[in-house]
Amino acid sequence: MKSDDVPSATSFPSGSPESRAMIAEVSRAWSLVPRHYSVMVRRGGRLVASVQAWPDGDAWWIGRLMVAVDHRRRGVATALLRHAQAVATSGTTHIRLNTGAASRINLRFYESEGFTAGPTNGDGMATLSKHLLPDERAHRSDGPPRT
C-alpha cells in the first residue's frame, strides 16, 4: 500500500478496482457513528491503517491513528492525518490530538504536520494542537462524505 491508496486531504483516490472498493469501504466507515468518524484501511481482510476523528465544541479531535508496521514509511499516516483534518466540521477553530509524551517519533511526525505540543498531563500523554487560520475555517463542511 502507498499513500495514494488512502484518501488524500482533497480527494479520494481513483483508478483501479481495488482503489474504488477501498473508497466504498472508507465512505461506509465514515457514516457508521454520527459525529464520530473512522477510516479503516484493510488489505486482504487485515486492518492495516486507521484513524478516528470527532468534534468537541470548536475543536476537532483526531485519535487512534495507526499504521501496521509492514505498511509504514509509505506516506499512509500522513495521508490519513491530512484527510482526518480536511473533513473537520464547520465551526472548527483548531485540531487537537493526544500521543505519548515520550514518543519522540510521534511528536516529530505531528510537529512536522504543523501541530504544537502543549504541556504533558499526569498520565504521560501530550496534547498537540493546530490552530486553523480564518480562511481554512471558511472551507469547512459538515463533516466527511456520507453514503
Side-chain angles (χ1 to χ4, degrees):
M1 174 182 14
K2 301 179 301 246
S3 62
D4 294 340
D5 294 329
V6 294
S8 72
T10 57
S11 64
F12 287 103
S14 60
S16 72
E18 181 183 37
S19 291
R20 286 192 295 276
M22 192 199 76
I23 292 167
E25 179 180 346
V26 167
S27 296
R28 280 193 306 274
W30 276 121
S31 64
L32 292 177
V33 180
R35 299 182 53 85
H36 188 121
Y37 309 104
S38 297
V39 172
M40 294 164 276
V41 179
R42 297 182 186 277
R43 286 289 182 255
R46 176 178 165 237
L47 179 65
V48 296
S50 69
V51 67
Q52 296 178 3
W54 60 94
D56 182 17
D58 61 357
W60 184 253
W61 282 88
I62 296 175
R64 304 289 184 198
L65 175 61
M66 70 70 120
V67 177
V69 173
D70 58 328
H71 285 76
R72 291 182 185 164
R73 310 289 309 159
R74 300 179 190 181
V76 176
T78 301
L80 283 172
L81 178 65
R82 290 178 182 175
H83 181 72
Q85 293 175 78
V87 297
T89 54
S90 60
T92 298
T93 62
H94 54 284
I95 298 172
R96 289 189 173 154
L97 56 87
N98 290 320
T99 194
S103 178
R104 285 183 231 122
I105 292 171
N106 288 356
L107 291 169
R108 274 196 311 268
F109 168 67
Y110 292 125
E111 288 169 351
S112 76
E113 289 295 313
F115 286 85
T116 303
T120 302
N121 62 27
D123 64 359
M125 299 299 290
T127 299
L128 292 93
S129 297
K130 178 190 244 185
H131 291 278
L132 300 177
L133 299 173
D135 63 323
E136 293 174 306
R137 295 178 205 161
H139 301 290
R140 298 291 161 197
S141 66
D142 287 324
R146 303 288 182 182
T147 57

